[in-house]
Amino acid sequence: MQAVERVIESQRFILGEDVERFERNFANYCGTAHAVGCASGTDALELALLALDIGPGDEVLTVPYSFFATAGAILSVGAKPVFVDVEPVTFNMDVTKLEAALAAHPKVKAILPVHLYGGCADMDSILDAAGSIPVIEDAAQSHGAEYKGRRAGSMGKVGCFSFFPTKNLGAFGDGGMLTTNDESLAKKLRALRVHGSIAKYIHQWAGKNSRLDALQAAVLDVKLPYLDQWSGGRQRNAALYRECLAEADAILPEVADYQTRHIYNQFVIRVRERDRLRAWLAEQGVGTEIYYPCALHLQPALESLGFKEGDFPVSEQLSKETLALPIFAEATEEEIRAVAELILSFR
C-alpha cells in the first residue's frame, strides 16, 4: 500500500521510475540484460513477433496445447500458427517432432515454445533445431523456472511473461514483460510499446499502446523479493501431492532432468474420469480447473486454417484428461492431504 500511495502522490502513472526500477530488478532475476514492461502477457507475445518483423505470409511454429494467447498473438500480427504436438507427461513441445515440422513448413520465421505450468521446454534441443530461426519463449507461467540452471526468458531471442493475478508473480490487474539480451531488440521493443515511437511524435514503426502501468510495476516490485518463497511453497505442495497420490489411478506430471527448477504455476494430473472427478471434488468443496479443454488447432478461431481432430493426438487427449489441483503456496499440509485423500477415495 505504501508503494501504491507513493505512485498516487507522484501522479506519474504511465512508465517512469517505478517501471524502470521493476524492469531492472526483473531482468536481474531472469539473468537477462534487458526487460521491457508492457500491458499483458498477450501483448508481450505480439510485441516480440512485431519486433522480429513477423507478419502476413509468415508462419510461426508453436504447440497446440496452451492458453489461446499463444496462437492468438500469431494471428494478431497476420501470421499463421503451425504446430508440433507436446509430450504427454511434461506437457511441453515434443522436440523429437520438431525437425520434421520445420522441414514441412519452410515459411516458419519463428519458433514459440511454451514453458507450460511452470516447467521449461527442452530449450537446447529447440535452439539446435532452430538454427538461425529466432526462438521466442512463452514464459507466461514460468517466472523463475530453470532449464539446466538457466532462467526461463533468458535462452531465446526474447522471453514473454504475464503478471495476471493468478501467476506466481501476479499484479493487481494485467501486466506483462519481455526479456532479452539483445540491446537493439530491447530498444525496438521499448518503441513498439509506445506506438513505435523513439522520439516524441516521431514513429519509426506502427507499434501498439501497451505500457506497464506504474501502479502495477510498484506492486510487482514489492512482491518480487517474495517470489522464490512462494514458488518454494508450491514446490513443497507438489512434492506432498506426489507422495500422497503415488497409488492413485492417475498420471502425475513428470519433471524432466533438464527442468532443474519447476515452479508449479499449476499441478496438473491426468485422469480418465476427469469431468466426473472434477464435479465430485466440487461437491466436496475442492476447487479445480481444466487447462485446457480445447486444443488450439480445434478452436473455432482457427477453423479456417484447416486443422482437424486427430492432427495432434497427444494435445487432444490431454484436453480430455487433465485436471489442475490446488497448489497455491499458502495451502497447508492438511489441505493437500485432504484433497489427495478425496482423489484416492473417488470411485
Side-chain angles (χ1 to χ4, degrees), residues 25-331:
N25 290 337
F26 194 73
N28 288 336
Y29 181 81
C30 294
T32 60
H34 306 279
V36 180
C38 62
S40 69
T42 302
D43 276 5
L45 293 167
E46 188 172 337
L47 287 165
L49 293 165
L50 289 172
L52 294 171
D53 299 318
I54 293 168
D58 296 332
E59 294 180 334
V60 178
L61 195 151
T62 188
V63 292
Y65 186 67
S66 178
F67 179 60
F68 182 76
T70 304
I74 298 168
L75 295 169
S76 292
V77 301
K80 176 184 175 181
V82 296
F83 297 111
V84 169
D85 213 346
V86 298
E87 297 174 334
V89 286
T90 68
F91 310 117
N92 284 326
M93 183 179 285
D94 186 343
V95 296
T96 66
K97 300 174 180 176
L98 182 53
E99 288 190 8
L102 288 170
H105 296 281
K107 293 182 179 179
V108 166
K109 295 297 177 62
I111 301 174
L112 207 170
V114 180
H115 302 318
L116 200 67
Y117 300 151
C120 290
D122 186 355
M123 285 299 294
D124 280 350
S125 297
I126 292 168
L127 291 166
D128 286 347
S132 61
I133 299 172
V135 175
I136 300 169
E137 298 176 63
D138 185 338
Q141 300 178 357
S142 295
H143 318 66
E146 294 180 3
Y147 172 89
K148 299 181 180 178
R150 290 172 282 167
R151 286 276 165 96
S154 71
M155 296 169 279
K157 190 71 171 177
V158 60
C160 302
F161 292 86
S162 167
F163 301 121
F164 189 77
T166 58
K167 300 295 191 282
N168 288 33
L169 182 62
F172 284 4
D174 277 317
M177 187 73 79
L178 299 112
T179 52
T180 184
N181 290 307
D182 186 321
E183 185 173 356
S184 62
L185 185 61
K187 183 178 180 181
K188 187 173 183 180
L189 289 167
R190 294 186 199 284
L192 286 170
R193 70 178 175 181
V194 287
H195 301 284
S197 174
I198 293 177
K200 192 172 184 179
Y201 300 133
I202 304 299
H203 302 269
Q204 190 72 27
W205 302 281
K208 292 171 60 69
N209 177 15
S210 181
R211 301 166 294 205
L212 179 62
D213 291 342
L215 281 168
Q216 300 299 347
V219 167
L220 290 162
D221 202 48
V222 171
K223 297 177 76 173
L224 181 59
Y226 297 91
L227 176 55
D228 287 343
Q229 174 185 327
W230 294 331
S231 295
R234 290 170 179 265
Q235 290 166 333
R236 288 191 298 273
N237 287 335
L240 186 56
Y241 270 133
R242 292 184 192 283
E243 173 190 323
C244 295
L245 294 175
E247 303 302 322
D249 185 18
I251 299 173
L252 304 184
E254 286 188 11
V255 178
D257 291 342
Y258 55 74
Q259 293 175 324
T260 49
R261 187 172 190 242
H262 199 300
I263 54 94
Y264 292 102
N265 187 236
Q266 283 93 22
F267 186 86
V268 177
I269 65 172
R270 291 177 55 191
V271 287
R272 287 190 296 271
E273 298 278 347
R274 190 267 313 276
D275 294 340
R276 198 164 67 85
L277 173 60
R278 187 185 189 211
W280 186 77
L281 287 173
E283 291 175 4
Q284 314 308 312
V286 177
T288 60
E289 187 55 270
I290 298 172
Y291 304 100
Y292 297 95
C294 179
L296 294 180
H297 65 289
L298 300 178
Q299 291 284 353
L302 275 67
E303 185 176 1
S304 63
L305 300 182
F307 297 111
K308 63 184 183 302
E309 193 166 348
D311 283 347
F312 303 100
V314 175
S315 294
E316 293 168 27
Q317 185 176 12
L318 293 177
S319 71
K320 296 178 175 67
E321 295 182 353
T322 50
L323 187 66
L325 306 180
I327 191 67
F328 58 97
E330 298 81 7

